[in-house]
Amino acid sequence: MELNIAEKYLLLIQHPIKSKFIVENPVKGLGLVGSILLDLTDSGCLEIENKRFIVKSADSNLSPVHLDVLQQIAKSKKARTVKSWINKFSKRSKRYQKAILQGLKDKDLIKIHNKSFLWIKYYNTQITDIKIREGIINDLREIIFNDKKASEKDIMTLAIIKACNLHKIIAKSKEEKNVCKKKLKEIMQSDLVTNGVSQIIKETQAALVLVIAGAVIVTSAGSN
């Protein structure tokens, strides 16, 4: 089954057994936004010039969420930086997350449990077949540890993992985590990444790292 980067990301950060994600906001939301933008780049809808997104096609059949993001960029009166768009779309990440999860439910890949507490409605999700998630992880492990040839979509998926510091999803030990970090750095600097894609990945990674760091600082300050 063909999955886009955003779908793979949500499956990867889902706990394999329990009805919860293994990462919290802001990483979860920002990583999802980065994944959506990379999907649009991979499909040829977006390019980058001078660290700003340029719309090459204002139509996308990836999902209603991808189309919404693309149209928001297309109708902007000025070309904004990648970081600016990530900041903007991160405010909608919960809505985008729910919509993409619904798409995964329609594909019978997850279950959505709708709940409420004191009249507050919420939901949690659970993978229906852990082999799907394990398959994605094993494919990425083959690239990291066995030098399997990576597709552009694989590279972009790994870029999000690197940007969000989610090496623990791939690595099974501290030693593997160190190898994973080193290998990901090498891949992002290698000829496997084409010039156009390289720019998008680097800008998306840089933006995610900065925004996540800022959000963590704000969260920490608020808890003191």
Side-chain angles (χ1 to χ4, degrees), residues 160-209:
I160 289 295
I161 288 174
K162 182 177 186 299
C164 296
N165 196 28
L166 298 176
H167 309 86
K168 63 181 181 181
I169 291 176
I170 299 176
K172 296 181 179 180
S173 65
K174 183 177 180 180
E175 290 74 20
E176 281 196 354
K177 185 176 180 180
N178 292 333
V179 172
C180 184
K181 286 183 176 181
K182 181 179 179 181
K183 185 66 174 182
L184 284 181
K185 184 177 180 180
E186 291 174 356
I187 290 174
M188 298 307 151
Q189 295 174 344
S190 72
D191 294 335
L192 292 172
V193 184
T194 61
N195 290 334
V197 172
S198 175
Q199 274 194 301
I200 284 286
I201 289 174
K202 288 177 181 177
E203 289 302 319
T204 302
Q205 284 184 313
L208 278 169
V209 169

Coordinates of all heavy atoms in Angstrom, one line a residue, residues 160-209:
I160 N 12.6 14.1 8.2 CA 11.7 14.5 9.2 C 12.1 13.8 10.6 O 12.1 14.4 11.6 CB 10.3 14.1 8.9 CG1 9.7 15.0 7.8 CG2 9.3 14.2 10.1 CD1 9.6 16.5 8.2
I161 N 12.5 12.6 10.5 CA 13.0 11.9 11.7 C 14.2 12.6 12.3 O 14.3 12.7 13.5 CB 13.3 10.4 11.3 CG1 12.0 9.6 11.1 CG2 14.1 9.7 12.4 CD1 12.2 8.2 10.6
K162 N 15.1 13.0 11.4 CA 16.3 13.7 11.8 C 16.0 15.0 12.4 O 16.5 15.4 13.5 CB 17.3 13.9 10.7 CG 18.6 14.5 11.0 CD 19.6 14.6 9.8 CE 20.9 15.2 10.2 NZ 20.9 16.5 10.8
A163 N 15.1 15.8 11.7 CA 14.8 17.1 12.2 C 14.1 17.1 13.5 O 14.3 18.0 14.4 CB 13.9 17.8 11.1
C164 N 13.2 16.1 13.8 CA 12.5 16.0 15.0 C 13.2 15.1 16.1 O 12.6 14.9 17.1 CB 11.1 15.4 14.7 SG 10.1 16.4 13.7
N165 N 14.4 14.7 15.8 CA 15.2 13.9 16.7 C 14.5 12.7 17.2 O 14.4 12.4 18.4 CB 15.6 14.8 17.9 CG 16.7 14.2 18.7 OD1 17.6 13.5 18.2 ND2 16.7 14.5 20.0
L166 N 13.9 11.9 16.2 CA 13.2 10.7 16.5 C 13.9 9.5 16.1 O 13.3 8.5 15.7 CB 11.8 10.8 15.7 CG 10.9 12.0 16.0 CD1 9.7 12.0 15.1 CD2 10.5 11.9 17.5
H167 N 15.2 9.5 16.3 CA 16.1 8.4 16.0 C 15.7 7.1 16.8 O 15.9 6.0 16.3 CB 17.5 8.7 16.3 CG 18.0 10.0 15.7 ND1 17.9 11.2 16.3 CD2 18.7 10.2 14.5 CE1 18.4 12.1 15.6 NE2 18.9 11.6 14.5
K168 N 15.1 7.3 18.0 CA 14.7 6.2 18.8 C 13.6 5.3 18.1 O 13.5 4.1 18.4 CB 14.1 6.6 20.1 CG 12.8 7.5 19.9 CD 12.3 7.9 21.3 CE 11.0 8.7 21.1 NZ 10.5 9.2 22.4
I169 N 12.9 5.8 17.1 CA 12.0 5.0 16.3 C 12.7 4.0 15.5 O 12.2 2.8 15.3 CB 11.1 5.9 15.4 CG1 10.2 6.8 16.3 CG2 10.3 5.1 14.5 CD1 9.4 7.8 15.5
I170 N 13.8 4.3 15.0 CA 14.6 3.4 14.1 C 15.6 2.5 14.9 O 15.7 1.3 14.7 CB 15.4 4.2 13.0 CG1 14.4 4.9 12.1 CG2 16.2 3.2 12.2 CD1 15.1 5.8 11.1
A171 N 16.2 3.2 15.9 CA 17.3 2.5 16.6 C 16.7 1.6 17.8 O 15.7 2.0 18.4 CB 18.3 3.5 17.2
K172 N 17.4 0.5 18.0 CA 16.9 -0.4 19.1 C 17.8 -0.4 20.3 O 17.6 -1.1 21.3 CB 16.9 -1.8 18.5 CG 15.9 -2.0 17.4 CD 15.9 -3.5 16.9 CE 14.8 -3.7 15.8 NZ 14.8 -5.1 15.3
S173 N 18.9 0.4 20.2 CA 19.8 0.5 21.3 C 20.6 1.9 21.2 O 20.4 2.6 20.2 CB 20.9 -0.6 21.3 OG 21.7 -0.5 20.1
K174 N 21.3 2.2 22.3 CA 22.0 3.4 22.3 C 23.1 3.4 21.2 O 23.3 4.4 20.6 CB 22.7 3.6 23.7 CG 23.5 4.9 23.9 CD 24.0 5.1 25.3 CE 24.8 6.4 25.4 NZ 25.3 6.6 26.8
E175 N 23.7 2.3 21.0 CA 24.8 2.2 20.0 C 24.2 2.4 18.6 O 24.7 3.1 17.8 CB 25.4 0.8 20.1 CG 26.3 0.5 21.3 CD 25.5 0.3 22.6 OE1 24.3 0.0 22.5 OE2 26.1 0.5 23.7
E176 N 23.0 1.8 18.4 CA 22.3 2.0 17.1 C 21.9 3.4 16.9 O 21.9 3.9 15.8 CB 21.1 1.0 17.0 CG 21.4 -0.4 16.6 CD 20.2 -1.2 16.1 OE1 19.1 -0.6 16.2 OE2 20.4 -2.3 15.7
K177 N 21.5 4.1 18.0 CA 21.1 5.5 17.9 C 22.2 6.3 17.4 O 22.0 7.2 16.6 CB 20.6 5.9 19.2 CG 20.0 7.3 19.2 CD 19.4 7.7 20.6 CE 18.8 9.1 20.5 NZ 18.2 9.5 21.9
N178 N 23.4 6.1 17.9 CA 24.6 6.9 17.5 C 24.9 6.6 16.1 O 25.3 7.5 15.3 CB 25.8 6.5 18.4 CG 25.6 6.9 19.8 OD1 24.9 7.9 20.1 ND2 26.3 6.3 20.8
V179 N 24.8 5.4 15.6 CA 25.1 5.0 14.2 C 24.0 5.7 13.4 O 24.4 6.2 12.3 CB 25.0 3.5 14.0 CG1 25.1 3.1 12.5 CG2 26.2 2.8 14.8
C180 N 22.8 5.7 13.8 CA 21.7 6.3 13.0 C 21.9 7.7 12.8 O 21.7 8.3 11.7 CB 20.4 6.0 13.8 SG 18.9 6.6 12.9
K181 N 22.3 8.5 13.9 CA 22.5 9.9 13.8 C 23.6 10.2 12.8 O 23.5 11.1 11.9 CB 22.9 10.5 15.2 CG 21.8 10.6 16.1 CD 22.2 11.2 17.4 CE 21.1 11.4 18.4 NZ 21.5 12.1 19.7
K182 N 24.7 9.4 12.8 CA 25.8 9.6 11.9 C 25.4 9.3 10.5 O 25.8 10.1 9.6 CB 27.0 8.7 12.4 CG 28.2 8.9 11.5 CD 29.4 8.0 12.0 CE 30.6 8.1 11.1 NZ 31.7 7.3 11.5
K183 N 24.7 8.2 10.3 CA 24.3 7.8 9.0 C 23.3 8.8 8.4 O 23.4 9.2 7.2 CB 23.6 6.4 9.0 CG 23.3 5.9 7.7 CD 24.5 5.6 6.8 CE 24.1 4.9 5.5 NZ 25.3 4.5 4.7
L184 N 22.4 9.3 9.1 CA 21.4 10.3 8.6 C 22.1 11.6 8.2 O 21.8 12.2 7.2 CB 20.4 10.6 9.7 CG 19.3 9.6 9.9 CD1 18.3 10.0 11.0 CD2 18.5 9.3 8.6
K185 N 23.1 12.0 9.0 CA 23.9 13.2 8.6 C 24.6 13.0 7.3 O 24.6 13.8 6.4 CB 24.9 13.5 9.7 CG 25.7 14.8 9.4 CD 26.6 15.1 10.6 CE 27.4 16.4 10.4 NZ 28.3 16.7 11.5
E186 N 25.2 11.8 7.1 CA 25.9 11.5 5.8 C 24.9 11.4 4.7 O 25.2 12.0 3.6 CB 26.6 10.1 6.0 CG 27.7 10.1 6.9 CD 28.3 8.7 7.1 OE1 27.7 7.7 6.6 OE2 29.3 8.5 7.9
I187 N 23.7 10.8 4.9 CA 22.7 10.7 3.8 C 22.3 12.1 3.3 O 22.2 12.4 2.1 CB 21.5 9.9 4.2 CG1 21.9 8.4 4.4 CG2 20.4 10.0 3.2 CD1 20.8 7.5 4.9
M188 N 22.0 13.0 4.3 CA 21.5 14.3 4.0 C 22.6 15.2 3.2 O 22.2 16.2 2.6 CB 21.1 15.1 5.2 CG 19.9 14.4 5.9 SD 18.5 14.1 4.8 CE 17.8 12.6 5.6
Q189 N 23.8 14.8 3.3 CA 24.9 15.5 2.7 C 25.4 14.8 1.4 O 26.3 15.3 0.8 CB 26.1 15.7 3.6 CG 25.8 16.6 4.9 CD 26.9 16.6 5.9 OE1 27.8 15.8 5.8 NE2 26.8 17.6 6.8
S190 N 24.8 13.7 1.1 CA 25.3 12.9 0.0 C 24.6 13.2 -1.4 O 23.7 14.0 -1.4 CB 25.0 11.4 0.3 OG 23.6 11.1 0.2
D191 N 25.1 12.6 -2.4 CA 24.6 12.8 -3.8 C 23.2 12.1 -3.9 O 22.6 12.3 -5.0 CB 25.5 12.2 -4.8 CG 26.8 13.0 -4.9 OD1 26.8 14.2 -4.5 OD2 27.8 12.4 -5.3
L192 N 22.8 11.3 -2.9 CA 21.4 10.7 -3.0 C 20.3 11.8 -3.0 O 19.2 11.6 -3.5 CB 21.2 9.8 -1.8 CG 22.1 8.5 -1.7 CD1 21.9 7.9 -0.4 CD2 21.7 7.6 -2.8
V193 N 20.7 13.0 -2.5 CA 19.7 14.1 -2.4 C 20.0 15.0 -3.5 O 21.0 15.6 -3.6 CB 19.8 14.8 -1.0 CG1 18.8 15.9 -0.9 CG2 19.7 13.8 0.1
T194 N 19.0 15.2 -4.4 CA 19.1 16.1 -5.5 C 19.1 17.5 -5.1 O 18.7 17.8 -4.0 CB 18.0 15.9 -6.5 OG1 16.7 16.1 -5.9 CG2 18.0 14.4 -7.1
N195 N 19.6 18.4 -5.9 CA 19.7 19.8 -5.5 C 18.4 20.5 -5.0 O 18.4 21.1 -3.9 CB 20.3 20.6 -6.7 CG 21.7 20.3 -7.0 OD1 22.5 19.8 -6.1 ND2 22.1 20.5 -8.2
G196 N 17.4 20.3 -5.8 CA 16.1 20.9 -5.4 C 15.5 20.3 -4.1 O 15.1 21.1 -3.2
V197 N 15.6 19.0 -4.0 CA 15.1 18.3 -2.8 C 16.0 18.7 -1.7 O 15.5 18.8 -0.5 CB 15.0 16.8 -3.1 CG1 14.7 16.1 -1.8 CG2 14.0 16.5 -4.1
S198 N 17.3 18.8 -1.9 CA 18.2 19.1 -0.8 C 17.9 20.4 -0.2 O 17.9 20.5 1.1 CB 19.6 19.1 -1.4 OG 20.6 19.6 -0.4
Q199 N 17.6 21.4 -1.0 CA 17.2 22.7 -0.4 C 16.0 22.6 0.4 O 15.9 23.2 1.5 CB 17.0 23.7 -1.6 CG 18.2 24.4 -2.0 CD 17.9 25.6 -2.9 OE1 17.2 25.5 -3.9 NE2 18.4 26.7 -2.5
I200 N 14.9 22.0 -0.1 CA 13.7 21.8 0.7 C 14.0 21.1 2.0 O 13.5 21.5 3.1 CB 12.6 21.1 -0.1 CG1 12.0 22.0 -1.2 CG2 11.5 20.5 0.8 CD1 11.1 23.0 -0.6
I201 N 14.7 20.0 2.0 CA 15.0 19.2 3.2 C 15.7 20.1 4.2 O 15.4 20.1 5.4 CB 15.8 18.0 2.8 CG1 14.8 17.0 2.1 CG2 16.3 17.3 4.1 CD1 15.5 15.7 1.6
K202 N 16.8 20.8 3.7 CA 17.6 21.6 4.6 C 16.8 22.7 5.2 O 16.9 23.0 6.4 CB 18.8 22.1 3.9 CG 19.9 21.1 3.5 CD 21.0 21.7 2.7 CE 22.1 20.6 2.4 NZ 23.2 21.2 1.5
E203 N 16.0 23.4 4.4 CA 15.2 24.5 5.0 C 14.1 24.0 5.9 O 13.9 24.6 6.9 CB 14.6 25.2 3.8 CG 15.5 26.1 3.0 CD 16.3 27.1 3.8 OE1 15.7 27.7 4.7 OE2 17.5 27.2 3.6
T204 N 13.5 22.8 5.6 CA 12.5 22.3 6.5 C 13.1 21.8 7.8 O 12.6 22.1 8.8 CB 11.8 21.1 5.8 OG1 11.2 21.5 4.5 CG2 10.7 20.5 6.7
Q205 N 14.3 21.1 7.7 CA 14.9 20.7 8.9 C 15.3 21.9 9.8 O 15.1 21.9 11.0 CB 16.2 19.9 8.6 CG 15.9 18.5 8.1 CD 17.2 17.7 7.8 OE1 18.1 18.2 7.2 NE2 17.3 16.5 8.3
A206 N 15.9 22.9 9.2 CA 16.4 24.1 9.9 C 15.2 24.8 10.6 O 15.2 25.2 11.8 CB 17.1 25.0 9.0
A207 N 14.1 24.9 9.8 CA 12.9 25.5 10.4 C 12.3 24.7 11.5 O 11.9 25.3 12.6 CB 11.9 25.7 9.3
L208 N 12.2 23.4 11.4 CA 11.7 22.6 12.4 C 12.5 22.6 13.7 O 12.0 22.8 14.8 CB 11.6 21.1 11.9 CG 10.4 20.8 11.1 CD1 10.6 19.4 10.4 CD2 9.1 20.8 11.9
V209 N 13.8 22.6 13.5 CA 14.7 22.6 14.7 C 14.5 23.9 15.5 O 14.4 23.9 16.7 CB 16.2 22.4 14.2 CG1 17.1 22.7 15.4 CG2 16.4 21.0 13.7

